[in-house]
């Protein structure tokens, strides 16, 4: 080994992020929470830059694609969403837990226009965000099975219906805005009542997994065309 060279088993520690760069990153994330939460995911990167008080080039150094910024801004929201599912699973009454989850998740959408969109989209390159979403989905499949076993949840309810519920709620939240900020509550109550057994009538077939995933990708800011993951549950 060349004298003075670093031993491969003892690599140089990663250089700490320069404090000014770290401050800029935190400022951008905070601005993203404000702008995307207020205006939804259609808000421009330029709007985030103005809110943060930095140039667009600074944002792009930290977040080369909008999807990168979305992942950084909403990871904590997705953590809260996954926690809501875990809380629902802990409820000794699976139907009560299921209803509580839907109400909690829809309330999160109503409180944050950006997150209202995030729950109806997929971001294949945002690995941490999608990992938490998938963990929540796996838990929801279990909760759905438990709620059906009690006889309270209609037997033809499919896990993909959760995506449709979030899409419907996001549409109401975005359409009513400040003019009727609580309208989503009535819509969610109507949906919950329609889910309770005994069913009042048959439902049309649920969307195919690949078709629904494609719709979530199409709605994302980047319009990704990544292949659908395997079916779950």
């Amino acid at each position: 080994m060349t004298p003075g060279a670093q031993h491969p088993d003892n690599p140089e520690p990663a250089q700490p992020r320069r404090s000014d760069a770290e401050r800029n990153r935190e400022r951008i994330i905070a601005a993203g929470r404000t702008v995307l939460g207020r205006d939804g995911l259609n808000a421009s990167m330029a709007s985030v830059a103005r809110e943060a008080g930095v140039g667009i080039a600074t944002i792009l150094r930290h977040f080369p694609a909008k999807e990168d910024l979305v992942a950084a801004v909403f990871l904590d929201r997705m953590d809260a969403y996954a926690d809501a599912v875990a809380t629902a699973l802990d409820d000794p009454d699976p139907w009560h837990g299921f209803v509580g989850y839907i109400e909690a998740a829809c309330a999160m959408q109503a409180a944050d226009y950006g997150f209202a969109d995030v729950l109806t989209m997929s971001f294949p390159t945002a690995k941490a965000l999608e990992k938490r979403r998938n963990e929540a989905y796996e838990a929801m499949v279990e909760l759905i099975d438990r709620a059906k076993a009690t006889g309270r949840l209609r037997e033809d309810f499919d896990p993909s219906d959760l995506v449709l519920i979030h899409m419907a709620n996001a549409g109401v939240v975005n359409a009513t805005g400040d003019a009727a900020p609580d309208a989503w509550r009535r819509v969610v109550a109507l949906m919950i009542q329609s889910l309770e057994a005994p069913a009042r009538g048959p439902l049309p077939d649920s969307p195919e997994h690949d078709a629904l995933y494609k719709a979530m990708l199409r709605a994302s800011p980047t319009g990704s065309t990544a292949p659908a993951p395997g079916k779950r549950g």
Side-chain angles (χ1 to χ4, degrees), residues 150-162:
T150 69
R152 298 291 302 279
L153 176 61
R154 58 187 298 160
E155 278 296 323
D156 55 357
F157 184 85
D158 186 86
S160 65
D161 292 329
L162 289 172

Side-chain angles (χ1 to χ4, degrees), residues 17-53:
R17 190 189 300 270
R18 288 172 34 233
S19 59
D20 57 338
E22 183 61 36
R23 282 194 296 272
N24 280 341
R25 186 175 189 278
E26 292 173 356
R27 188 180 302 131
I28 292 165
I29 291 174
R33 289 195 178 106
T34 298
V35 173
L36 300 180
R38 180 189 66 218
D39 302 333
L41 299 195
N42 286 329
S44 68
M45 296 283 267
S47 297
V48 177
R50 285 193 296 272
E51 179 72 23

Side-chain angles (χ1 to χ4, degrees), residues 59 75 108 127 133 144 157 219:
I59 286 191
L75 181 58
M108 290 179 193
K127 301 303 184 184
R133 187 205 301 275
I144 288 168
F157 184 85

